[in-house]
Amino acid sequence: MSIATVNPATGETLRTFDPFGPEKVEAALSLSAEAFRTYRTTSFETRAGYLNRAADLLDAERDDAARLMTTEMGKTLVAARAEAAKCAKAMRWFAARTQRLLADEPVAPDDVKDSGAAEAYIRYRPLGTVLAVMPWNFPLWQVVRFAAPALMAGNTALLKHASNVPQTALYLEDVLRRGGFPEGVFQTLLIESGAVEAVLRDPRVAAATLTGSEPAGRSVASIAGDEVKKTVLELGGSDPFVVLPSADIERAAAVAVTARVQNNGQSCIAAKRFIVHTDVYDEFAEHFVRRMAALRVGDPMEEPTDVGPLSTERGRADLEALVEDAVAVGAAVLCGGRRPAAPELKSGWFYEPTVLAEVTAKMRIHREEAFGPVATLYRVADLDEAIAVANDVPFGLSSNAWTRDAGERERLVRDLQAGGVFFNGMTASHPGMPFGGVKRSGYGRELSHLGIREFCNATTVWIAAD
Ligand code: NAP
């Protein structure tokens, strides 16, 4: 994929970039290693100062940053502004709390009383240069949720961002530099995915994180495994949204729409499969389909637009193929299922919000991730069947369930195969809560005290009793 800004709302190529050659990559690796030598010794206070200043800059430049994201990947301007604001907030969150999250952790004397220790504790030290391979769908947030904790922990970072968001990648590097981070602490590498292997194998790179698709994750993890380097993988998801009879059905349907079409339907934690108890299925389906059909598809720069284009022509073609396959095998199209007819939307990669029912295990969409505004509806007889359908995918990122019954909630927490369970609302990330999945959704956690420790060397310190 060439490195370029192509506006998904118009299909117009606005700017192209030459990928870094081997000399430029070598210079970045060497600068990163050199920066780590001194940066690792800086205090939490110093790092927090840089990060807070970067957050102030991002807040001040929110509109420009948002326009850049919308231009490069098509999310609505309203969503892009919210994303920039969320990034600044997360930067401040880690700036304020890292000293506590990474404080030396004493080992209880009773737990090691037979080890001969007068004292034992854990020190969280940085690992070194971490390579981050990131996707375009939340072009600032995906990077910030890795970079804010990783830099606060004293690591240096190299970013290989998705090829369709080069300007956002360069902007983030610039904001962090202007915030005060020393040269080399955070660098963007404009490289194609084929150039990742050499960087990852370089001895100056200590670890890697990848957010993206399963094939990309498998490739990076196997190379890192070969090099015995730590990885965190945040991969795809096909999150269930379970609706049970005690729920507020109208509210559940309203939230379901947002949960499905947020970010033009291109979110790993979007609810994608709506699994509804038969007693409330018709009521839910009626509200849900009416609201999905009423969404306004259009220019993402315009405030009233609910759903903008898909980020790439390929992304739309993949989504269309999933819908066509389902319809050919008997799925019912309750709304959408096609490109919008409006002439002004012809040159962009738009797709109508779509609801499919009568979905069966024979259809690809039953097991694969629909990365766009397409929902599947399932009717289930009881909680057992709801859990079985929810778990019948290779993914396990997050999950959503609507019930006022504490017993049902306990069952769902126990049995849903996912990295999160959100009740009577929709999955959302927050710096204070761990984020990550199980099964083919990856491993490791981002955010929270768990996320910041992923790229730390948890060092055992043991001091003998006299
Ligand atoms: P993708 O194709 O895997 O791209 C993600 C990143 O990986 C890009 O920087 C891409 O570079 C790079 N890449 C692709 N193939 C690679 C390879 N073989 N070796 C090294 N790097 C490689 O993913 P996408 O389709 O753009 O993004 C959508 C996917 O990401 C969805 O499955 C979504 O669910 C997932 N996602 C997961 C999370 C999460 O937190 N779990 C969050 C957001 C998105 P190029 O752009 O140059 O190809």
Side-chain angles (χ1 to χ4, degrees), residues 254-279:
V255 174
V257 171
T258 310
R260 178 55 286 208
V261 304
Q262 59 174 325
N263 213 40
N264 307 341
Q266 304 160 117
S267 168
C268 52
I269 49 165
K272 291 167 186 142
R273 298 174 299 130
F274 298 82
I275 301 164
V276 187
H277 192 287
T278 187
D279 291 355

Side-chain angles (χ1 to χ4, degrees), residues 175-200:
V175 161
L176 292 170
R177 271 300 304 281
R178 284 186 285 134
F181 283 99
E183 198 173 343
V185 169
F186 182 95
Q187 298 176 79
T188 288
L189 302 178
L190 292 180
I191 56 173
E192 288 163 341
S193 60
V196 166
E197 176 165 0
V199 177
L200 186 50

Side-chain angles (χ1 to χ4, degrees), residues 134 136-137 142 145 160 163 211-213 216 234-236 268 369:
M134 290 289 151
W136 44 264
N137 62 340
Q142 301 291 3
R145 80 177 183 189
K160 181 271 179 275
S163 294
T211 300
S213 63
E234 299 286 357
L235 308 180
C268 52
E369 179 183 26

Side-chain angles (χ1 to χ4, degrees), residues 21 26 30 56 61 66 76 127 134 189 207 221 249 286 304-305 318 374 390 420:
E26 167 55 34
S30 140
D56 291 345
E61 297 163 9
T76 64
L127 282 184
M134 290 289 151
L189 302 178
I249 302 302
E286 198 264 311
T305 294
D318 288 350
V374 175

Side-chain angles (χ1 to χ4, degrees), residues 149-162:
L151 300 186
M152 278 306 300
N155 296 293
T156 53
L158 292 173
L159 168 66
K160 181 271 179 275
H161 215 326

